[in-house]
């Protein structure tokens, strides 16, 4: 399946299919220097990748989120600079969303910008294949250092999904689910029907359909934001609370986002008179085997401080994306009072249903 | 004097006059967070700056080029992130070209990009007020890590030039002279007539005229490059050899560029049958009291290796900007053989004239 971005310029293809990685060699043929940065776990699981490209330098990088650190940035930038690259250079990121963020930020800032190609290997990474956001983490929070830098091509090879650990499937599913929530009721129902329980989800049956529609949803929102109506913030659904618990409790991104979505339902009920059923959603998360006992360790003051660091806040304070209904997101300031009330309700819900 | 950039979009004013810094407060009034990063030497020489802006956070940073290092980048990014800035943030750079490069790179990558305002305090910094290039250095060379990020405003306050040390005047004059070389004979003659010796140059009489025409020249070249004719490389005149000796021998930027221009005359005579008089130019550099004894320490192999790291090289090897005549630059591949021959002639010239 071939998708194309629809920006005013600098568009790129997103190819979603089994064996997509075979197209990499051709895409790289006109570059003078090629550096392939590959997530260590992916390199271990797919050893054929190591000797696949002759004229490229292959660099294994630490797996997952941990690589998004200035120390690694310095190490790998300097390693690449040893080869005296010119601007006619391409960096390739083979790995999950974190790998793409990290390598994309390197590409954005190497010699003031070189090309990069993304080869996502996780379900979660479908999310970062659109939008051009790249970056690394800082002690104060995730992605606080970064840039906007679009890839030249995204080769989304579905074969990689075969070896995903269950925790990665759950993590990626959160963004798939979020994109459905931002679309409409039908999209959500389709997902819940296809994947009512963990056993169904782990088969990843028909997942390419949902990946493609997730990418389409995100693309539409990102394009609308190019016209500066601010819709891009909608993609932050579940992320205000999600990022806070993710960094405070070292959760997998999507696990945190799912709890963030749950929290958002409670807030939306409080401030928008929405009629979501947090209990039902909590039960769905349990059926999918998301780890939820961590909720018992949450501390409001700690998490509130972290929420204050969100880039998307403005002068009035914490901004959250809230659903009025499914498919109808809204960005709103939410007071500390409401956040605390919603937090108490979350703890109570957990104690009742767990 | 007010100049305006003439890009397709994102234009900004460049204000060149005494007391221009008084306009900073107004320019900052609509930002939620303001961080003023000021070169330590400038802060010492102009103590009134320290308590001038009430709602801004003032941060003193190491003086000059040394600050353009990833360690300092990490330190000051984290210091700023402690304040939980939102995207409605402006960074202000008060200092020379290096300060602007460093703070500009911070602004380009803080929260994926915030605004910045440049307040250049040196003669050299007139050069970096146009072009949007920001960046830091790496062990392998200068500005190898960076971005393109235009300031919102440049406030070039000529009062700062009063306290410039002589070595800074010489360093900045190199770029003024380079811009004249890229313009025409008349521009060069005007400069040499105004400043025939070091004593004349140190008065900086009429310097604003030359600053403004230098900015105009650079602006025209940068704009032409937006249409992708590659003219922007012309600004690299004197910089291929210049950057190599600058980093190898820790020279002030402009001192290195002036010797780079001299070297370029020799190469142009060799490969373009140009008829420059390197002896005459060497004498002018002596009259201006540029330090030239460092030439005796030059080693071709060391410098050749450094020239190979230049970002502007391509697959064919080292690219140099050469003048066919004054005002007629050309980008050319130059072979190792020619570079070595020119290098010998440079040493010989130095031994004859010194």
């Amino acid at each position: 399946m071939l998708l194309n971005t629809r920006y005013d310029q600098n568009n790129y293809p997103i190819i979603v299919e089994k064996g997509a990685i075979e197209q990499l060699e051709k895409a790289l043929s006109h570059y003078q220097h090629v550096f392939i940065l590959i997530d260590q776990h992916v390199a271990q699981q797919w050893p054929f990748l190591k000797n696949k490209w002759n004229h490229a330098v292959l660099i294994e990088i630490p797996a997952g989120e941990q690589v998004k650190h200035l120390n690694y940035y310095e190490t790998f930038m300097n390693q690449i600079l040893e080869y005296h690259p010119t601007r006619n250079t391409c960096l390739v990121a083979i790995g999950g969303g974190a790998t793409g963020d990290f390598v994309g930020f390197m590409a954005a800032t190497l010699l003031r910008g070189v090309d990069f190609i993304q080869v996502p290997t996780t379900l979660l990474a479908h999310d970062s294949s659109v939008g051009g956001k790249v970056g690394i983490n800082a002690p104060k929070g995730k992605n606080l250092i970064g840039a906007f830098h679009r890839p030249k091509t995204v080769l989304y090879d579905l074969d990689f999904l075969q070896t995903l650990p269950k925790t990665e499937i759950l993590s990626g599913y959160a963004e798939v689910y979020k994109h459905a929530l931002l679309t409409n009721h039908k999209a959500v129902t389709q997902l819940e029907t296809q994947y009512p329980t963990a056993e169904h989800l782990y088969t990843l049956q028909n997942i390419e359909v949902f990946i493609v529609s997730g990418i389409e949803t995100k693309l539409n929102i990102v394009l609308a934001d190019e016209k500066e109506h601010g819709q891009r913030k909608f993609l932050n659904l579940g992320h205000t609370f999600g990022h806070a618990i993710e960094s405070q409790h070292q959760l997998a991104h999507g696990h945190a986002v799912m709890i963030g979505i749950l929290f958002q339902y409670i807030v939306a009920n409080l401030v928008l008179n929405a009629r979501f059923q947090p209990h039902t959603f909590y039960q769905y998360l349990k059926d999918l085997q998301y780890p939820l006992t961590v909720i018992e360790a949450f501390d409001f003051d700690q998490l509130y401080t972290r929420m204050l660091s969100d880039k998307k806040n403005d002068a009035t304070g914490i901004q959250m994306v809230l659903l009025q209904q499914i498919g109808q997101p809204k960005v709103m300031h939410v007071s500390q009072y409401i956040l605390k009330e919603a937090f108490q309700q979350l703890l109570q819900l957990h104690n009742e249903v767990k």
Side-chain angles (χ1 to χ4, degrees), chain A:
Chain A
M1 171 84 74
L2 168 66
L3 291 153
N4 271 296
T5 62
R6 299 182 299 274
Y7 295 102
D8 287 342
Q9 49 186 4
N10 297 330
N11 284 294
Y12 58 92
I14 304 172
I15 294 157
V16 185
E17 60 192 31
K18 286 172 174 287
I21 201 169
E22 296 305 326
Q23 300 179 46
L24 184 57
E25 187 147 1
K26 187 159 169 245
L28 293 172
S29 59
H30 65 286
Y31 290 103
Q32 192 186 348
H33 301 270
V34 174
F35 300 90
I36 297 179
L37 293 103
I38 182 166
D39 177 300
Q40 239 160 25
H41 286 176
V42 177
Q44 279 159 17
Q45 282 182 312
W46 300 88
F48 82 98
L49 295 172
K50 289 196 191 178
N51 301 305
K52 196 167 166 57
W53 300 281
N54 288 326
H55 83 300
V57 177
L58 195 98
I59 301 174
E60 288 188 33
I61 64 175
E65 194 72 17
Q66 58 175 320
V67 78
K68 292 172 65 178
H69 191 286
L70 261 178
N71 288 349
Y72 286 124
Y73 172 79
E74 181 168 18
T75 301
F76 294 114
M77 287 293 269
N78 285 334
Q79 187 173 341
I80 286 174
L81 286 166
E82 291 283 339
Y83 291 88
H84 303 295
T86 63
R87 290 238 173 88
N88 186 13
T89 288
C90 189
L91 308 190
V92 180
I94 305 184
T99 308
D101 286 352
F102 178 72
V103 176
F105 184 59
M106 291 178 68
T109 54
L110 179 69
L111 310 181
R112 297 202 181 92
V114 300
D115 287 352
F116 89 112
I117 289 177
Q118 262 180 291
V119 182
T121 60
T122 66
L123 186 53
L124 186 57
H126 88 283
D127 182 54
S128 52
S129 65
V130 178
K133 286 188 176 180
V134 296
I136 57 179
N137 303 328
K140 279 283 153 188
K142 279 180 53 120
N143 299 322
L144 295 178
I145 296 174
F148 288 93
H149 192 63
R150 294 182 201 154
K152 280 288 154 182
T153 304
V154 177
L155 299 172
Y156 201 137
D157 189 334
L158 298 167
D159 284 336
F160 285 116
L161 302 183
Q162 290 165 24
T163 56
L164 276 190
K166 289 176 177 175
T167 183
E168 264 298 326
I169 292 177
L170 287 177
S171 188
Y173 184 65
E175 298 287 348
V176 175
Y177 194 85
K178 182 194 80 178
H179 288 137
L181 283 176
L182 293 171
T183 309
N184 55 34
H185 262 290
K186 192 178 153 204
V188 176
T189 308
Q190 276 180 330
L191 262 185
E192 293 185 352
T193 308
Q194 180 83 50
Y195 309 118
T197 68
E199 289 66 36
H200 293 83
L201 180 59
Y202 295 155
T203 65
L204 288 178
Q205 206 180 355
N206 284 331
I207 194 69
E208 63 275 19
V209 176
F210 300 107
I211 288 174
V212 168
S213 60
I215 291 174
E216 283 283 7
T217 299
K218 179 156 185 187
L219 191 54
N220 288 333
I221 291 176
V222 169
L223 287 171
D225 199 43
E226 293 262 306
K227 292 159 202 156
E228 298 189 332
H229 298 127
Q231 287 99 321
R232 188 158 183 165
K233 286 185 180 161
F234 297 161
L235 296 168
N236 211 35
L237 181 67
H239 283 62
T240 308
F241 192 69
H243 272 160
I245 58 176
E246 177 181 356
S247 48
Q248 184 71 41
H249 296 281
Q250 310 287 311
L251 304 184
H253 180 67
H255 300 188
V257 168
M258 277 302 209
I259 298 174
I261 290 172
L262 173 62
F263 183 75
Q264 170 276 148
Y265 281 140
I266 300 171
V267 176
N269 284 350
L270 285 170
V271 300
L272 293 175
N273 299 317
R275 295 179 177 202
F276 292 110
Q277 305 289 333
H279 285 74
T280 311
F281 186 66
Y282 185 100
Q283 187 59 50
Y284 185 47
L285 295 186
K286 262 184 81 175
D287 294 343
L288 293 177
Q289 297 177 8
Y290 279 92
L292 298 168
T293 49
V294 66
I295 293 176
E296 288 154 29
F298 289 175
D299 174 87
F300 180 75
D301 291 336
Q302 279 179 344
L303 298 177
Y304 182 71
T305 305
R306 290 202 180 254
M307 282 190 276
L308 281 175
S309 293
D310 196 287
K311 287 191 288 303
K312 289 161 192 93
N313 293 336
D314 67 8
T316 63
I318 290 172
Q319 297 283 309
M320 269 183 83
V321 183
L322 299 175
L323 292 173
Q324 297 174 287
Q325 298 180 39
I326 286 173
Q328 292 184 25
K330 192 174 169 170
V331 179
M332 279 189 68
H333 169 65
V334 182
S335 70
Q336 185 177 6
Y337 176 81
I338 291 286
L339 292 169
K340 189 155 191 174
E341 172 63 25
F343 183 80
Q344 297 302 345
Q345 292 192 18
L346 174 68
L347 296 193
Q348 200 182 332
L349 168 62
H350 173 67
N351 284 322
E352 285 166 22
V353 192
K354 71 178 173 185

